[in-house]
Amino acid sequence: MPRFLIAIALSLGLLAVPAAADEALYQAIDNDYAYLEDLYLYLHRNPELSYQEQKTMKRIAAELGGLGFEVTENVGGFGLVGVMENGEGPTVLIRTDLDALPLQEQTGLPYASVIRGINQAGEEVSIMHACGHDIHMSTFIGTARRLVELKDSWRGTLVMIGQPAEERGGGARAMLNDGLFERFPLPDYNLALHDGAGAPAGTIGYTSGYALANVDSVDIIVHGIGGHGAYPHTTKDPVVLAAQIVVGLQTLVSRVISPLDPGVVTVGSIHGGTKHNIISDNVKLQLTVRSYTDEVRKTLLDGIKRIAENLGRAAGLPEDKLPEVIVSEDDRTPSTYNDPALSDRVTKAMRAAGVAGIIREIPPVMGGEDFSEYGRTEEKIPGFLFWVGAVNPEEYATTVAAGGSFPSLHSPFFAPDPEPTIKTGVRAMTIAALELLGKAE
Ligand SMILES: [Zn+2]
Ligand SMILES: [Zn+2]
């Protein structure tokens, strides 16, 4: 860790000295790193797109099977579930995601992915683990290996799941719909981690309460009555109407929801028309809509429909040609709520064990994660997702000093520093699980 971070951490009382048991655990994690690095390099070189994670599922299933987990494959597509029962005690679910993204890696790393595949539209694309799900899987297996080795010191049931299609927002729902909570032991707690592209490796960030947003995708088809550009009075121009809708939508966040409630309405795509002098028949808008609470989500989605339809009426369109507002059923993730009591308990244990250089509470983000789905069933299972910094610490220090920024998640330049990231992730997740599982008598 850079010296200035240590100074900040010491001044905030964030650095703890690990006890002897934790020292032994961390030594074991260090000793296991060569194994995890091999796994990481394999996964990084062999990324698979969402809904195509068959080889990845097989590899992770084989790792868990080799450790003595009872493994079931093909849960909700290419998902897998590993169960280890170890006496009376709580059931803890740990989730990793499996999928990668359609990007051509540009990190220049010797182990950069050169894999190509076919996406859902039938196009050939490059594939890269640009969200670090390969880091997550390596950390997940590292944690499993430690918890199996420490089996005499805990009691309860471990449910370790590899989830497909996180990037498409559908994998968690698919696993739940395939009976995750009926066919396998019902968890008392759900845990997950995500690597962070803007924080140094060796640090942990977390948010208590709402941590990630409700993410909805909305399409608006603005119909018009087309004609010659020289005779606008004989048409209903959908380009003008679409422009009014885009501007009208800006009042939702600024004037309709409370200034104290976060919300985002972004029109990310607008397409219509073919030529200078033709008034077209339609314009298509694509929106991303973000919020934390379900009430704000409903207000925003209802408001989009109200504004679009009524501006259509104001333009004089007949009722059967009003703008169509389509909220996607599949392309959405609900907000992630980190149970405050659980966040508190787990991060206290991490701090006491000296898991990372810095463990600090950070602001929520408007990104989305379908880990949230596991806490949204009728059982309302408390969950906790935390961030593990992934930027090489020296690079972090020099970039910050120079006022620069880092390649984000989903960037073709995203290059996590695997060793400190994976080691910190394994430490943190192992300590979290040990805290929640029962103690051996
Ligand atoms: Zn991602
Ligand atoms: Zn991700």
Side-chain angles (χ1 to χ4, degrees):
M1 191 179 14
R3 203 165 298 154
F4 80 95
L5 286 177
I6 296 177
I8 295 169
L10 285 172
S11 70
L12 294 172
L14 296 173
L15 275 182
V17 182
D22 302 320
E23 288 281 19
L25 171 64
Y26 300 159
Q27 191 58 56
I29 292 169
D30 286 352
N31 295 343
D32 202 32
Y33 181 68
Y35 184 89
L36 298 180
E37 188 178 65
D38 280 350
L39 176 63
Y40 174 73
L41 294 177
Y42 166 80
L43 293 167
H44 192 83
R45 287 185 175 123
N46 293 280
E48 292 178 295
L49 291 173
S50 307
Y51 297 113
Q52 301 181 16
E53 312 90 338
Q54 188 166 23
K55 274 194 294 186
T56 308
M57 174 192 75
K58 291 270 177 211
R59 178 67 195 256
I60 299 301
E63 295 286 339
L64 289 183
L67 291 169
F69 283 79
E70 191 173 314
V71 182
T72 307
E73 296 181 9
N74 301 310
V75 180
F78 294 125
L80 68 112
V81 180
V83 176
M84 176 161 291
E85 291 181 341
N86 187 27
E88 284 284 304
T91 297
V92 175
L93 176 146
I94 302 176
R95 174 270 219 166
T96 183
D97 28 22
L98 307 175
D99 53 335
L101 288 158
L103 279 170
Q104 178 157 19
E105 180 160 354
Q106 292 176 48
T107 59
L109 290 166
Y111 53 87
S113 164
V114 292
I115 294 284
R116 291 173 71 76
I118 305 293
N119 70 11
Q120 280 200 324
E123 301 148 351
E124 194 183 334
V125 292
S126 295
I127 311 176
M128 173 191 177
H129 267 299
C131 202
H133 297 183
D134 48 354
I135 292 274
H136 304 174
M137 289 184 268
S138 309
T139 303
F140 174 89
I141 293 301
T143 302
R145 288 165 65 84
R146 297 282 61 79
L147 289 171
V148 167
E149 194 180 80
L150 292 169
K151 221 174 153 187
D152 288 343
S153 65
W154 58 269
R155 295 287 176 266
T157 302
L158 258 182
V159 178
M160 299 203 55
I161 67 169
Q163 180 207 302
E166 189 281 329
E167 296 293 358
R168 302 291 297 272
R173 267 199 304 280
M175 290 191 79
L176 289 165
N177 291 340
D178 201 8
L180 176 64
F181 287 170
E182 291 84 36
R183 291 161 57 195
F184 306 97
L186 184 69
D188 296 296
Y189 307 101
N190 298 323
L191 295 174
L193 58 75
H194 204 295
D195 55 357
T203 66
I204 304 272
Y206 71 100
T207 308
S208 185
Y210 285 110
L212 292 123
N214 288 311
V215 178
D216 282 284
S217 298
V218 179
D219 288 88
I220 304 179
I221 304 169
V222 182
H223 299 289
I225 297 171
H228 197 298
Y231 310 102
H233 54 293
T234 65
T235 71
K236 297 289 179 200
D237 186 349
V239 169
V240 172
L241 176 53
Q244 288 174 329
I245 291 172
V246 172
V247 174
L249 294 177
Q250 307 309 312
T251 59
L252 285 170
V253 172
S254 68
R255 304 289 87 176
V256 179
I257 62 172
S258 160
L260 302 179
D261 283 326
V264 177
V265 178
T266 292
V267 180
S269 159
I270 176 165
H271 285 97
T274 51
K275 198 173 182 306
H276 305 70
N277 61 356
I278 298 175
I279 291 173
S280 72
D281 278 335
N282 66 65
V283 172
K284 291 183 175 132
L285 306 178
Q286 293 183 313
L287 286 66
T288 186
V289 181
R290 305 199 174 208
S291 56
Y292 289 122
T293 69
D294 290 351
E295 295 71 39
V296 170
R297 172 178 184 260
K298 185 171 186 318
T299 302
L300 292 176
L301 295 177
D302 289 351
I304 289 167
K305 193 172 162 64
R306 185 179 66 245
I307 287 170
E309 287 183 355
N310 283 304
L311 284 172
R313 288 193 180 95
L317 282 171
E319 287 294 308
D320 64 348
K321 286 217 180 251
L322 294 180
E324 281 178 70
V325 176
I326 303 145
V327 180
S328 174
E329 284 294 319
D330 305 318
D331 196 357
R332 70 182 171 87
T333 52
S335 58
T336 301
Y337 184 76
N338 278 334
D339 181 77
L342 180 62
S343 310
D344 205 46
R345 183 175 165 194
V346 166
T347 51
K348 265 194 185 123
M350 287 181 190
R351 286 195 172 105
V355 154
I358 295 180
I359 300 175
R360 59 175 177 172
E361 198 159 357
I362 56 173
V365 291
M366 295 307 268
E369 238 294 348
D370 72 355
F371 173 69
S372 55
E373 298 277 6
Y374 304 111
R376 286 200 172 229
T377 62
E378 60 183 14
E379 293 90 356
K380 298 274 175 283
I381 299 165
F384 181 56
L385 177 144
F386 56 93
W387 298 93
V388 179
V391 182
N392 174 276
E394 281 75 42
E395 191 185 316
Y396 181 85
T398 48
T399 306
V400 167
S405 61
F406 307 96
S408 64
L409 298 175
H410 294 202
S411 158
F413 296 97
F414 175 57
D417 187 0
E419 182 163 352
T421 308
I422 291 171
K423 283 181 178 176
T424 306
V426 177
R427 283 176 163 204
M429 193 55 94
T430 305
I431 291 291
L434 288 172
E435 167 66 21
L436 299 175
L437 290 161
K439 309 282 174 275
E441 292 300 317

